Amino acid sequence: LDIGSALARHEGLSERQLRDLPIHATSDAFDEEERTVLDLAEAMTRVPSIVDDELRARVDRYLTPTQQTELMVLIAWENKRARLNQGLGVRPSGFSDGEFCVLPMTASLTGTQPV
């Protein structure tokens, strides 16, 4: 949970980008390539996971087939890890103490199944 926000911050995401993740599609904190990658991650995280032709075409504009494979493997791995942590009841461990921490969205907020 909180380690993801800490790692994202370490990789250069701004506080605004972390806060705007739930509204990335309309936020000017992200460029079009970043929005596309976030849309892909969101599509792969939904239950059921559906990546439609329109999204694939957008991803093709920015990433080579090899990059797409690497990204999708990473998204799938993080989904697996997140689901395991949820099942085990893993709770925040202080990695983002005093800073904004992205929390998992609930179905009532997003209209999708939580991860």
Side-chain angles (χ1 to χ4, degrees):
L1 293 171
D2 58 337
I3 194 168
S5 295
L7 291 172
R9 210 175 275 106
H10 177 72
E11 291 298 320
L13 264 72
S14 69
E15 288 294 308
R16 178 161 179 234
Q17 287 174 313
L18 287 171
R19 289 182 191 280
D20 281 4
L21 280 172
I23 59 165
H24 72 271
T26 58
S27 171
D28 63 1
F30 302 98
D31 64 29
E32 194 57 38
E33 181 177 357
E34 292 166 329
R35 280 190 209 96
T36 298
V37 167
L38 290 169
D39 287 345
L40 176 64
E42 195 171 71
M44 288 182 64
T45 301
R46 285 192 189 106
V47 176
S49 175
I50 299 173
V51 179
D52 63 25
D53 292 339
E54 181 274 332
L55 180 53
R56 283 185 203 286
R58 287 175 40 217
V59 171
D60 284 342
R61 280 187 240 147
Y62 298 107
L63 303 174
T64 67
T66 299
Q67 290 171 322
Q68 290 178 35
T69 300
E70 290 174 355
L71 177 60
M72 289 182 194
V73 165
L74 180 62
I75 292 168
W77 176 259
E78 286 302 318
N79 272 299
K80 179 181 176 182
R81 185 189 56 76
R83 290 171 190 273
L84 175 63
N85 285 344
Q86 287 289 327
L88 294 173
V90 173
R91 298 292 173 244
S93 301
F95 292 103
S96 290
D97 282 352
E99 298 178 277
F100 180 76
C101 181
V102 178
L103 298 176
M105 298 299 289
T106 64
S108 64
L109 294 175
T110 64
T112 61
Q113 295 294 319
V115 184

